[in-house]
Amino acid sequence: MEALFNGLGALYLAKCDAAKTGQVFQAFLPPGSLVRAAERLLQDKYFLEDICAVDCVEGYVVVYHFDHFEAPGRLTLRVLVPHDAPTLPSIASVFDGAEWHERETRDFHGVLFTGNPNFIPLLIDPEMADCFPLRKEEKARAKAKDMLEAGEVIFVSPAFTLMTPEAPTEVKESSGDQPATA
Amino acid sequence: MTTSQNNDHLAGDFYTQNFAKTAKDGNLILNLGPQHPSTHGVLRVVVELDGEYVMRAEPILGYLHRMHEKMAEVKTAAQFIPNMGRVDYGHALGWNWAFVGAVEKLADIEVPERAEYVRVITCELNRIASHLLWWGAYLLDLGAFTPIMYAFDDREKVLDILQIPTGSRLTYSYFRIGGVAQDLNADCIRLIRAFIPWFRSRLPMYKDLVSDNIILRKRIEGIGVIEPDACRRFGATGPVARGSGINYDVRRATPYSMYPKLDFVVPTSELKDARGRYDVRMIEMEQSLRIIEQALDLMPEGEVLVKGAPKPSWKVPKGEAYFAVEGARGKIGAYVVSDGGKNIYRTKLRAPGFCNLSLFAEVSKGTILADAVAILGSLDLIIPEIDR
Amino acid sequence: MNAIPAELLRIIIGLVAVAVSVGLIGLVMVWVERKVAGHIQRRPGPFEVGPSGVLQPLCDALKLVGKQLFMPNGADPILFWLAPVLSFLPVLLLFLPLPVGDGIQTLDVNLGLLLILAFSGLAVLSVLLAGWASNNKYGLLGAARGVAQAVAYEIPLLLSVLAVAFVSGSLDLAQVVKLQGTWPWNWNIMTQPLAFLIYIVSALGETNRAPFDLPEAESELTAGFHTEYSGMGFGLFFLAEYANMVVVCSVATALFLGGWHGPVLPGPVWFVLKVSALMLLMVFARWTYPRVRFDQLLVINWKWLLPLAVANLLLTAFFVKLAQFA
């Protein structure tokens, strides 16, 4: 599985327990290699399940769920985008179905996808499409590593601190802080 | 008379104008819906017509958008279950199951065996009801007025059965985190046992009278061919994918509940067209009957709700979980992320119809308007599920 | 004061009788159609108003009359209102040459068949006008379909009728009926079964009845050419459709099914019975079959009905000539 991500500059690769969280593998990617990863996944005959964003303290974690028709097992791609500039490249040129999922993510969280062929509001009325209902208030946000499954880490880039328990910015309640569901 | 009126609205709204920008001169832009007999509710499709040929089509969503995912943020997990019945009125129990299953996975709750069987039985009954609803409505799309009455007659029987344990007829809120709300009573089981042979005897009649009808065959054979590759790119699942020859059923692919113990066939069709999807759904109804029959025989006595099942004020443990079930329209997924509070931090609902409908723009290209309607119907759309 | 000519009196009485009977037939047919549809669909149909709901269509008609006449923004006011009237008026004319019984005929012309075929062609004009004048895209599409369909189906219809005219050597409906006999084997359907079949299929297409109801295909075009009509505008289209059905079934009865001929019962009763049977057939077809697609409809017509009708006509002509020589 990790061979899929060779040369993509993945930040974090981990095997996960499908019985616990329903996914078998997860990867954090830099925004730049998203499209190439999608191309490889399509080549490997994965299909796109959905795209959604989770609003965390560190930014929006945009989650791409993929599954396979012949060899089922959910593969999760995650990308972190900052709150102040939530922009990602679109994968709609690879997985056409992503167009709608990306537009939905824009409606709900205001994450922008450059290169989406028809980037207009999908579910929310265009006249009030800039309300982004699922964005959370500052104090309501939780940390990504508190919630997302850490899994059995295969690779972690030194610069990547989102999922590591001893993040340098961490000050409070570091003792009670377990990797989310492990 | 006409000059004094304000005609600004005739230019179309935001979506029509956006669509018309790239339209060819002389082509007709037609808004099918949001109020249109064959869009089953409030779907809107803007089409560019050259004569009766659809050059381009773009579904416009959002007319039934209720922001269930926001409601999930402001309700506790148990309070959110009734929402699931409203997401998809066709296969409400499938959605019940997806959400409840995701929370159970997150909290690692074991469901009693009897409850699992009850879930299988009610979910499959609901699938039959959903397919019947599709069948009748689809034939109505194709201009046959009568089958829907027969379909609703049968569906009524299923609703009568489901009404006993669930207490409602359409928007079920029956599953609980850790089981189901109440057991199937003797009366209900008797009705189910009576329903199986009765409905089984109806299916051949539907085949003779409707499925083999020459006009129907000419209307759906070879129409709306979807290649397996397109299913992959758009994420189409359920009967749409199986009608394209992809043997993918969540009940078999990522087995859950009691399905591994049950013997049933996942029908697929190599036709890849509307006919293929039609056949798959017709066979699925038969298979659902088989599943129900076996589940009734295998069902042990016991509790239907786990001891110490979560109370409404229960705090959902930290973590994330994705749980998918096979709904009548495809893969229903619920992705929950919790920060340990009473309310789930983020709930993402994966609607199969959403992905299936996104195929429509590609498949309908170059077809005749009547075929576009036939294709739209063959995707089995339930708009509230797509809009959520 | 000169006495009113007998022929004129006859036409006036006939016209009044036709106008009344068209209205009545419309009401009865609405009830019959709904009852038949109901029983086909395992439900009772209308049953609240009057015994077995026979007064239901009357209530519906009253409701339609009482409704506000509504015209969409940007529609052509003259053509918009002309269309329903134009759909209904020619139908009244079509009733004139129908031979209901021996000698019971409003207008005894020796070209009665021609008159019917000529005036029934006017119906398509109203479809076109209605669709065009509505300023509605569905209406326009419905009108385009209606015209293409009517043009297509009138030809085989005409050819199948001609075949019978060849055999009878007359375009006078009464004359055609007279040449047939009491028993079914004396009817034209025995000598012209193919023409009958072609006629019935074309008649379904001509009257826009399901499975050929494409100009108003509700699942595609909402209501096609009459999308924008409400109240009596719609009511007239509705009435015209039923009246048209009666006409095509009556012509079929006169041409193929021996008209008023029949044992025991008086002529008009037989005529009405045969027409009713054909109408029931059309009602059954509507509630049983899905709708064909537009191109399929044209294929059925141009590739099957038309060549068959031509072949049938040629064969008929050949045998008629042969019989003359023999």
Side-chain angles (χ1 to χ4, degrees), chain A residues 66-170:
Chain A
F66 292 90
D67 208 334
H68 202 285
F69 284 135
E70 285 85 29
R74 186 167 293 104
L75 188 148
T76 313
L77 293 189
R78 305 187 212 259
V79 188
L80 180 71
V81 287
H83 282 127
D84 48 354
T87 306
L88 277 177
S90 165
I91 61 164
S93 56
V94 186
F95 287 95
D96 304 59
E99 180 197 323
W100 284 19
H101 292 293
E102 285 171 357
R103 283 164 65 186
E104 184 192 294
T105 310
R106 191 220 80 98
D107 285 353
F108 290 178
H109 283 97
V111 178
L112 304 177
F113 293 86
T114 51
N116 186 304
N118 190 22
F119 206 54
I120 53 176
L122 181 72
L123 292 176
I124 292 187
D125 187 343
E127 283 172 20
M128 49 176 284
D130 292 328
C131 61
F132 309 128
L134 289 186
R135 278 190 178 176
K136 287 185 188 284
E137 282 169 28
E138 201 80 55
K139 62 174 194 281
R141 285 179 180 142
K143 290 201 176 65
K145 67 166 176 292
D146 287 354
M147 302 183 291
L148 303 183
E149 187 196 15
E152 185 187 317
V153 181
I154 295 169
F155 168 81
V156 56
S157 158
F160 185 74
T161 54
L162 188 71
M163 298 299 283
T164 38
E166 56 282 353
T169 50
E170 189 75 49

Side-chain angles (χ1 to χ4, degrees), chain C residues 25 43 49 96 162 197 200 207 253 292:
Chain C
I25 288 167
R43 56 188 175 85
V49 196
L96 295 183
L162 263 186
L197 201 69
I200 289 295
T207 49
T253 305
V292 300

